[in-house]
Amino acid sequence: MAIFDRLDRMLSRTVDRTNAISFELTPYVSTPNGRPMPDPNRQVIRGKGIFDYFSTEFGIQLGVRKSYREANDLRSLHAGRDPQLSVDRIYFPIGVQEPKQGDIVSFPDRPELPEFDVTSAQRDGMSRLVLMLAQRGAQG
């Protein structure tokens, strides 16, 4: 198994050199019903990762309300974008340092991209971490 881990790390770094853009992850902490604020116990992480919008479809319930016998159905009437950032785990060597929900990701070299909130962070099983993102605020 060690040979595959080594090959995955080599491939991950090669992909980053080719496709990655700079990002900045600012850790935030909040209390229940409280405003989020920067987390003083974690450091701001600057690194490179692969950002992309993935196509996603949303099922919308269509109801036929004429009688109780006719069933509703789910159809994919709307397609959207799901922003994700794939990052090498070298930036987060210890599990405690991994991004958490509510952290903020920005792209300083790409002003056309808005800031994003981290909604979840998932390991890919090898050497990368995938951050599921949600756009912050209104689009200008």
Side-chain angles (χ1 to χ4, degrees):
M1 217 35 160
I3 186 74
F4 293 112
D5 292 340
R6 185 168 166 237
L7 289 172
D8 184 61
R9 281 193 304 272
M10 288 171 44
L11 179 64
S12 178
R13 295 195 178 106
T14 302
V15 168
D16 277 348
R17 273 193 298 273
T18 307
N19 300 313
I21 61 174
S22 297
F23 74 90
E24 185 174 287
L25 184 129
T26 307
Y28 268 67
V29 65
S30 66
T31 57
N33 298 326
R35 286 188 173 208
M37 53 189 190
D39 188 350
N41 299 323
R42 296 190 292 152
Q43 295 180 351
V44 172
I45 304 292
R46 290 175 184 86
K48 290 193 171 221
I50 299 170
F51 174 79
D52 202 359
Y53 284 108
F54 290 91
S55 178
T56 183
E57 296 181 349
F58 301 100
I60 298 176
Q61 188 173 9
L62 300 176
V64 181
R65 306 285 185 208
K66 293 179 185 171
S67 74
Y68 68 91
R69 291 184 184 158
E70 296 179 24
N72 294 334
D73 61 351
L74 289 175
R75 294 188 188 167
S76 183
L77 297 176
H78 183 69
R81 309 185 300 177
D82 183 22
Q84 296 180 9
L85 178 66
S86 175
V87 179
D88 194 315
R89 296 223 21 236
I90 196 167
Y91 298 111
F92 311 104
I94 302 171
V96 177
Q97 296 174 342
E98 288 183 1
K100 295 182 170 77
Q101 184 177 9
D103 291 350
I104 295 177
V105 174
S106 61
F107 300 96
D109 297 341
R110 303 285 298 271
E112 72 274 10
L113 291 175
E115 286 188 334
F116 294 92
D117 286 325
V118 174
T119 58
S120 70
Q122 302 170 355
R123 294 180 184 182
D124 74 346
M126 297 300 264
S127 64
R128 299 191 75 79
L129 192 68
V130 178
L131 305 179
M132 305 298 179
L133 305 173
Q135 184 174 329
R136 295 186 61 127
Q139 201 169 4

